[in-house]
Amino acid sequence: MSDKHITLHDDAPERSILARLILPDTVVEEDPLEELHGLATTSGTEVVDELIQRRSTPDHSTYLGKGKVEELRLMVERHEADVVIFDNDLSPAQIRNLEKKTNAKVIDRTELILDIFAAGARTHESRLAVELAQLEYSLPRLKRMWTHLSRQSMGVGMRGPGEKQLEVDRRLAQKRIHDLKTELKSVELRRERQVAARSDSPTVSLVGYTNAGKSTLMNALTDAGVMAQDKLFATLDTRTRRWHLPEWGHVLLSDTVGFIRDLPHSLVASFKSTLEETRQAELLLHVADASSPQVFEQISAVYQVLEELGIEAKDTLLVLNKIDAITSPRVLNRVLDRYPNAIPVSARSRSGLKPLAQAVGEALSREFLDVEIGVAHHDGKLLSFLSATGKIESREFGNDHVIVRVRMPASAMGTVNRSALSVTPTTLEMWKQTASEEELEDSSEDSSEESVERSSDVA
């Protein structure tokens, strides 16, 4: 039986104490525990006290210094707290030592985030992703999780009944991790095919720091009616809705999980299939909470996660949301001074949505061309490519060819040029700006050859 002091509070939420060690190279917010307070509240605990220590290096055994550990123990005793939540990542030994000294459960930042994700996972896919991340986090922290398996006989090539319980636990966890990765890889490939098969409309993906108002913005733009709550990680699963852009047409607008500072790497990796919409989107809308005192740090954190996903170079518009919550114009101007091309909006009051739609249409137009393509009747391969890659507006049939009016991604024009009978861009200037590298290289080579011929003639 555990020697921990356990206090029952009927059906009341767990009472938590927040703790954070601030190191010299750490960027510190105005309220260093504000975000952790939001995470703890989202997890269902009642925050009763906070503790902060500034120190040059963590203590190798208890992370905090001895004096602060004693102060933490007294806090736990005074408030009859159930759990201590750290805004840092702790080693298994540090967690174990802190639990012994405080007589309370101790969890670190990563474990708290994983717990919130586990509680919010609704679909089979997101549950698989969370379970994988939890197992990868727990593997080095196993403490006889399957105590009922005291001894186990193994087959050929395995150890006999004298195998230690912890080794059995580790092998079971590793087997489950392998199975989850295999299943998630299958889900990821299936999702990738589903997203790639959508040829009717381009995809615009909402990304941003958690609780920046992405779901509220999606509702305002599409009348989607998706859940929008004022809490961290209210959205874990991808939702996609049709959004009509005036003078442009329909696009698919997707909303998925929000990001956060120091988001666990294992969680990002596990949610790759869920983030497939974002990875394949033609345009990203980076939604930031302009009213947050930490807006610059939050914007930076989102770009770090995008870099981890390998999509930081994707065309992105910065959307400054919640401008209705800003009391002083200087606050908004401070952000616009750093990001002059950002688009201020309020999803709640629906202000700024028309300029946003116009900016999205202009951004997508930079990536697409309206062209008339002459295709031979027998060239079924090119006709299929146009149908799969572009949005066909009309077809005019001639004796031996068909003229297809289509909106195409500029990146696909290299394939079109190789087999089309003719290509007539709607706007010549736009065509010049977005011509494929292959076409430019060919033109350059032709010009060089002509220059050589002319030089020979002159000679």
Side-chain angles (χ1 to χ4, degrees):
M1 180 178 290
S2 172
D3 57 355
K4 290 183 183 179
H5 173 66
I6 299 176
T7 303
L8 299 177
H9 298 283
D10 300 324
D11 293 330
E14 282 189 305
R15 299 162 67 83
S16 64
I17 294 175
L18 310 183
R20 181 179 179 184
L21 177 65
I22 299 176
L23 300 173
D25 58 347
T26 305
V27 176
V28 183
E29 304 84 358
E30 185 176 337
D31 180 357
L33 287 173
E34 180 183 9
E35 183 174 272
L36 187 65
H37 193 288
L39 288 169
T41 303
T42 300
S43 71
T45 71
E46 176 191 354
V47 178
V48 295
D49 212 337
E50 299 177 351
L51 182 144
I52 295 174
Q53 181 179 26
R54 295 178 184 270
R55 187 180 166 100
S56 58
T57 57
D59 185 278
H60 71 279
S61 61
T62 56
Y63 205 76
L64 299 175
K66 291 181 180 180
K68 284 295 180 181
V69 172
E70 176 61 18
E71 185 179 340
L72 187 59
R73 184 191 69 79
L74 293 174
M75 278 185 180
V76 170
E77 188 177 288
R78 182 169 64 253
H79 296 290
E80 295 185 340
D82 306 289
V83 57
V84 178
I85 304 175
F86 273 77
D87 198 23
N88 310 91
D89 284 333
L90 309 179
S91 70
Q94 288 166 341
I95 291 176
R96 184 168 59 252
N97 292 333
L98 284 166
E99 287 182 339
K100 288 180 180 178
K101 291 182 179 297
T102 61
N103 289 320
K105 179 172 60 177
V106 175
I107 65 175
D108 63 7
R109 179 183 176 87
T110 294
E111 188 173 1
L112 177 63
I113 293 174
L114 291 176
D115 183 76
I116 294 171
F117 270 60
R122 294 289 179 267
T123 64
H124 176 64
E125 181 180 348
S126 61
R127 285 171 181 158
L128 289 176
V130 171
E131 184 183 355
L132 174 59
Q134 285 180 319
L135 276 174
E136 290 185 325
Y137 170 83
S138 300
L139 188 58
R141 295 167 168 81
L142 284 175
K143 300 176 184 177
R144 299 178 178 269
M145 293 172 62
W146 293 279
T147 55
H148 63 286
L149 297 174
S150 59
R151 291 180 181 272
Q152 183 170 341
S153 297
M154 298 295 172
V156 176
M158 306 299 290
R159 298 188 189 183
E163 183 176 28
K164 293 181 180 179
Q165 178 63 47
L166 185 58
E167 292 169 344
V168 176
D169 295 348
R170 283 176 177 153
R171 189 160 60 250
L172 287 172
Q174 289 166 345
K175 173 67 166 59
R176 180 59 179 160
I177 287 173
H178 177 269
D179 292 344
L180 286 169
K181 285 184 175 180
T182 301
E183 189 169 357
L184 275 172
K185 185 63 178 178
S186 176
V187 172
E188 185 178 338
L189 292 173
R190 184 165 65 248
R191 175 68 70 91
E192 188 175 340
R193 289 193 298 269
Q194 289 173 349
V195 175
R198 295 174 183 163
S199 59
D200 57 334
S201 303
T203 299
V204 178
S205 184
L206 296 167
V207 299
Y209 210 79
T210 182
N211 209 28
K214 296 187 286 82
S215 296
T216 303
L217 181 60
M218 185 177 194
N219 287 337
L221 295 173
T222 67
D223 296 320
V226 300
M227 181 187 70
Q229 292 180 297
D230 185 17
K231 71 174 187 177
L232 305 183
F233 299 120
T235 303
L236 291 186
D237 301 299
T238 300
R239 282 84 58 91
T240 302
R241 301 291 186 272
R242 292 177 71 86
W243 176 25
H244 179 73
L245 293 177
E247 301 180 3
W248 206 95
H250 287 288
V251 300
L252 297 177
L253 184 65
S254 68
D255 176 31
T256 187
V257 61
F259 303 146
I260 199 169
R261 170 179 60 84
D262 299 329
L263 191 65
H265 296 290
S266 60
L267 202 56
V268 175
S270 299
F271 269 79
K272 272 189 176 178
S273 60
T274 305
L275 294 167
E276 188 60 35
E277 301 273 358
T278 301
R279 295 168 64 194
Q280 293 204 28
E282 281 78 14
L283 178 69
L284 302 183
L285 294 185
H286 178 175
V287 183
D289 179 0
S291 67
S292 172
Q294 288 80 45
V295 60
F296 294 132
E297 291 80 8
Q298 293 176 358
I299 290 173
S300 177
V302 170
Y303 280 121
Q304 287 176 7
V305 178
L306 293 178
E307 185 175 356
E308 190 170 347
L309 290 169
I311 56 176
E312 73 279 5
K314 193 177 287 290
D315 198 8
T316 305
L317 295 179
L318 179 61
V319 182
L320 300 178
N321 192 24
K322 302 188 181 182
I323 59 172
D324 56 318
I326 298 176
T327 55
S328 171
R330 287 179 298 179
V331 175
L332 180 59
N333 291 336
R334 182 174 68 100
V335 186
L336 288 173
D337 285 344
R338 182 178 295 190
Y339 301 103
N341 295 323
I343 306 164
V345 304
S346 169
R348 180 173 293 178
S349 65
R350 294 176 177 258
S351 64
L353 299 189
K354 287 185 178 179
L356 173 60
Q358 182 179 357
V360 170
E362 291 174 355
L364 289 175
S365 296
R366 292 196 298 265
E367 303 296 324
F368 285 77
L369 295 171
D370 288 315
V371 290
E372 287 185 352
I373 301 172
V375 185
H377 279 163
H378 64 269
D379 195 350
K381 186 175 181 180
L382 179 56
L383 289 171
S384 297
F385 178 78
L386 295 178
S387 298
T389 311
K391 182 179 181 181
I392 294 180
E393 305 289 348
S394 64
R395 294 181 177 90
E396 294 181 13
F397 293 91
N399 293 330
D400 57 354
H401 69 280
V402 56
I403 299 295
V404 182
R405 178 73 182 267
V406 60
R407 171 171 285 177
M408 292 287 296
S411 58
M413 292 309 298
T415 302
V416 173
N417 290 334
R418 279 192 286 271
S419 55
L421 297 177
S422 63
V423 178
T424 307
T426 302
T427 306
L428 182 61
E429 193 62 30
M430 182 183 296
W431 173 259
K432 289 180 180 178
Q433 293 175 1
T434 56
S436 65
E437 292 183 5
E438 179 182 357
E439 183 182 2
L440 291 174
E441 289 174 0
D442 290 344
S443 300
S444 178
E445 290 174 2
D446 292 342
S447 299
S448 299
E449 291 175 0
E450 290 179 6
S451 298
V452 170
E453 290 175 0
R454 288 173 182 172
S455 298
S456 300
D457 292 340
V458 172

